Amino acid sequence: PQNGRSVSSSPSEEDESYLAYRRLHKHNTPQDYQHSTPPSPVKYMLDYTLNRFTRWLRILGIDAVLETIEEEHERTHGGKIAMFDRCKRERRTLITTSYKLLLRKECPPGAYLLDPKSTSDLLEQTLPALLRTHGVELSPRTFLTRCVVCNGSIHRVHTDEEKNAVFVEHGAPGLADSKGDMEVFRCGGCGQGYWWDDRPSSSASRVFSQATKLLRMCLRGGVGLQHETVTDEKKRKVIMGAFDFVNVEKERRSEGSTARETRTELSVIQWLREERLSNPFHLRSVNGERRSGIDADLPFTNVTKDFVGCLDYIFFEPLQFDQICRLKVPRSFREMNASGVPRGHLIPSDIWPSDHIAVGARLRLKRFKEADGKNIDELPNANAMSRTTNETNKTNSKSDNANPAAHPPRCACGCVPPVLSLFEMAELRKKAREKKNAEEASKTIN
């Protein structure tokens, strides 16, 4: 709140505060444009160390809640982490400077980590990157509509009695005489009072300048604006609200702008928003079961008290690979908990020691064929390979009738030789140790 009277003299047009004065002196405040657009869909929860960053988000009209000092004390002394529960309950995205929080099992997904040693300049670079990552589109009409103290909504005070109460509560009773000419606001949450003052040194002008700086910084950083493509000047002014003097295109093209560098990043974010993604491959899951021509994959590979779903996949191209076999994977809670122990299906457990069910398969690479359907062995430059392969197949057919197409470890056709798994290698080492121990024991007896 500002504790002084408004002066009648106006700043010159060369003064940077002139634009703020032009808006505020005519009582066209940002609150004149609020509540006509829906709030940002992204809501944030920040830890106690990010007080300044939280204020920036609130200035931009973004719902941002800060961890209280009591919650921070409880968290840092081994107690309950209230931020996790609040993020899940209110569907907020966690922003923190503690990488240890991200390692906690209860940490909500999508948490955003900031460098705890970030200076003010680094935080200014982080802000556009954060908003781009979450696809936030700014609405200048909603700037300065959230209380920077408690994140509540700011509403206009209309009656003289309410205005006078705001002035008295905030130690400025001398402004009561001019209450009829001043725009006064109050937070609906904590009751914090706000009023506009056109003096360059006033808190109102400073916060307006800060909002303008953040807007320009976001534009240069490639953050989108709602209805940015509108060309009609009247509509553009309505969309920009009290910040219609900011030249969006000029800021995008300004020196030091990172908008061009973020085109690829923004295109990826837009791509991820697509409901139906496609690729040029005809992939099949190794664990898929064909039902009516559609692959029905595993019902789950991760089972906890908070989540049940399939997170692990192996896909292959049927035109290039043959599936030989696959690991057996449970497809029901009954298979996970055959003994019927309460919550025995949750993993990890004594039966399933990992928090993910292992999926695996053995694939065999098919022989390459030309577009006309001829085998590569029929090509002139593959005669040597063909003879070697045929001789190898004849040799293998005598020794292994069950697999006439088996290849030796060093095959000329370029196939991948069979490789022992870690479990098979461990079993071989175990048998070797047992054999060695038996030989030493027999020597001792003799």
Side-chain angles (χ1 to χ4, degrees):
Q2 181 62 34
N3 297 332
R5 289 183 179 271
S6 300
V7 295
S8 58
S9 60
S10 62
S12 64
E13 294 188 10
E14 297 179 357
D15 194 333
E16 287 190 0
S17 63
Y18 172 72
L19 295 175
Y21 164 80
R22 178 169 62 87
R23 286 291 158 212
L24 304 180
H25 188 67
K26 295 182 178 180
H27 309 298
N28 293 327
T29 62
Q31 281 74 13
D32 292 328
Y33 309 97
Q34 71 170 337
H35 308 310
S36 58
T37 58
S40 173
V42 181
K43 298 188 294 184
Y44 293 109
M45 177 79 200
L46 297 92
D47 69 38
Y48 187 72
T49 62
L50 295 171
N51 189 298
R52 177 189 295 181
F53 201 77
T54 303
R55 289 175 176 267
W56 289 355
L57 292 172
R58 291 172 179 175
I59 287 176
L60 296 177
I62 298 174
D63 190 345
V65 174
L66 183 67
E67 179 186 31
T68 64
I69 188 172
E70 294 80 13
E71 293 173 343
E72 189 269 344
H73 184 271
E74 183 180 14
R75 169 173 62 85
T76 55
H77 287 75
K80 181 181 178 181
I81 303 180
M83 289 194 302
F84 290 171
D85 295 336
R86 189 164 184 179
C87 285
K88 295 177 182 179
R89 184 174 64 254
E90 301 179 6
R91 305 180 68 87
R92 294 183 178 274
T93 299
L94 176 64
I95 305 178
T96 180
T97 57
S98 174
Y99 75 94
K100 292 184 179 179
L101 284 181
L102 273 64
L103 301 178
R104 299 289 294 265
K105 180 180 179 181
E106 303 85 3
C107 182
Y112 199 93
L113 178 65
L114 297 184
D115 186 353
K117 299 181 181 179
S118 296
T119 62
S120 179
D121 293 339
L122 291 177
L123 283 179
E124 290 181 354
Q125 297 175 13
T126 302
L127 179 60
L130 171 72
L131 300 182
R132 290 198 312 266
T133 300
H134 295 142
V136 176
E137 292 185 344
L138 298 177
S139 175
R141 288 187 296 178
T142 61
F143 288 6
L144 306 179
T145 60
R146 286 193 173 272
C147 178
V148 296
V149 177
C150 74
N151 194 46
S153 297
I154 299 175
H155 303 279
R156 186 187 299 276
V157 174
H158 297 283
T159 66
D160 292 343
E161 291 76 11
E162 292 176 326
K163 291 181 180 181
N164 187 57
V166 170
F167 294 142
V168 173
E169 290 175 8
H170 295 82
L175 296 178
D177 296 337
S178 58
K179 58 182 178 294
D181 300 328
M182 298 187 66
E183 299 291 337
V184 182
F185 306 89
R186 182 191 287 273
C187 172
C190 65
Q192 175 72 27
Y194 299 90
W195 58 88
W196 291 105
D197 191 337
D198 55 335
R199 294 183 303 172
S201 60
S202 67
S203 59
S205 294
R206 290 199 306 269
V207 73
F208 190 89
S209 299
Q210 179 67 23
T212 304
K213 178 183 177 182
L214 293 176
L215 173 59
R216 286 172 171 160
M217 183 173 58
C218 291
L219 292 176
R220 295 172 184 176
V223 180
L225 291 181
Q226 294 183 8
H227 312 291
E228 185 174 345
T229 58
V230 173
T231 57
D232 184 81
E233 184 62 20
K234 291 184 178 180
K235 292 183 179 179
R236 191 193 71 83
K237 288 186 176 182
V238 173
I239 293 172
M240 295 297 293
F243 300 87
D244 64 347
F245 57 87
V246 177
N247 191 324
V248 176
E249 293 299 326
K250 182 179 178 181
E251 296 298 334
R252 298 282 195 203
R253 298 191 303 266
S254 64
E255 183 178 356
S257 172
T258 60
R260 293 181 295 274
E261 300 176 4
T262 58
R263 287 178 182 173
T264 302
E265 178 183 347
L266 294 175
S267 63
V268 171
I269 294 176
Q270 186 64 31
W271 176 73
L272 292 174
R273 290 178 177 176
E274 295 292 335
E275 295 183 0
R276 297 182 62 86
L277 300 178
S278 61
N279 64 77
F281 306 102
H282 301 282
L283 300 179
R284 180 177 297 177
S285 173
V286 298
N287 290 294
E289 295 182 353
R290 302 293 292 179
R291 298 175 183 173
S292 303
I294 301 177
D295 281 344
D297 220 312
L298 296 174
F300 53 79
T301 58
N302 180 255
V303 182
T304 67
K305 64 178 182 179
D306 297 321
F307 176 82
V308 176
C310 185
L311 301 176
D312 307 273
Y313 304 85
I314 298 178
F315 295 102
F316 70 99
E317 175 61 74
L319 297 178
Q320 299 184 14
F321 291 91
D322 285 325
Q323 181 175 342
I324 307 303
C325 59
R326 69 187 181 192
L327 290 179
K328 178 176 175 56
V329 180
R331 294 178 178 268
S332 66
F333 291 166
R334 185 182 298 276
E335 295 182 68
M336 295 279 293
N337 185 22
S339 58
V341 178
R343 294 195 172 188
H345 63 285
L346 302 180
I347 56 176
S349 65
D350 59 336
I351 305 298
W352 307 94
S354 174
D355 60 344
H356 286 251
I357 299 175
V359 295
R362 179 167 292 176
L363 304 176
R364 180 173 59 199
L365 184 65
K366 293 183 177 180
R367 291 190 182 185
F368 178 80
K369 290 187 177 183
E370 292 292 311
D372 58 1
K374 294 183 179 181
N375 194 290
I376 191 172
D377 294 343
E378 301 175 5
L379 298 178
N381 60 356
N383 290 333
M385 183 185 297
S386 176
R387 288 194 297 271
T388 304
T389 304
N390 292 335
E391 293 174 1
T392 301
N393 289 340
K394 291 179 180 179
T395 303
N396 291 333
S397 63
K398 296 178 180 179
S399 59
D400 187 5
N401 294 329
N403 189 9
H407 292 197
R410 297 292 181 182
C411 181
C413 75
C415 66
V416 180
V419 179
L420 295 178
S421 68
L422 294 177
F423 300 102
E424 293 171 331
M425 295 172 65
E427 187 67 23
L428 290 177
R429 288 194 294 268
K430 179 180 178 182
K431 291 181 179 179
R433 287 194 300 268
E434 293 176 349
K435 182 179 179 181
K436 182 178 179 180
N437 294 335
E439 293 175 353
E440 292 177 353
S442 62
K443 290 180 181 179
T444 303
I445 295 175
N446 295 334

